[in-house]
Amino acid sequence: MADNDTPGRISAIRGAALTFIGDPFADAAETCMTYLPDALLVMSGGAIRKFGPAEDILPTLGSAVAVERYPDFPILPGFIDSHVHYP
């Protein structure tokens, strides 16, 4: 377990986020993607604990939680094996 992933330690990152709430291969982009211009992702023990608009989540965090800002980089879901093999 990495130092910043120790049980009980809470970390958070803040920035614009693009998430999928549907299947981008089966659904229209307008219905399967959500863009949040100011999102907060809260992690603890190697798992995501909270995610959503920063204005909703920030008041629920204690003052001891350090929030890292990434204004120039979007927060995206992990893309697993997202490639295509051509014949």
Side-chain angles (χ1 to χ4, degrees), residues 10 33 39 43 56 59 63 67 77:
I10 300 172
M33 291 189 297
M43 301 159 287
D56 295 344
S63 60
V67 177

Side-chain angles (χ1 to χ4, degrees), residues 13 16-20 41 73-79:
I13 58 174
L18 177 67
T19 63
F20 295 93
L41 178 71
F73 302 99
I75 300 167
L76 301 169
F79 295 104

Side-chain angles (χ1 to χ4, degrees), residues 8-36:
R9 183 178 183 282
I10 300 172
S11 59
I13 58 174
R14 184 176 182 177
L18 177 67
T19 63
F20 295 93
I21 56 173
D23 183 345
F25 296 104
D27 303 322
E30 301 81 32
T31 61
C32 73
M33 291 189 297
T34 299
Y35 175 75
L36 298 171

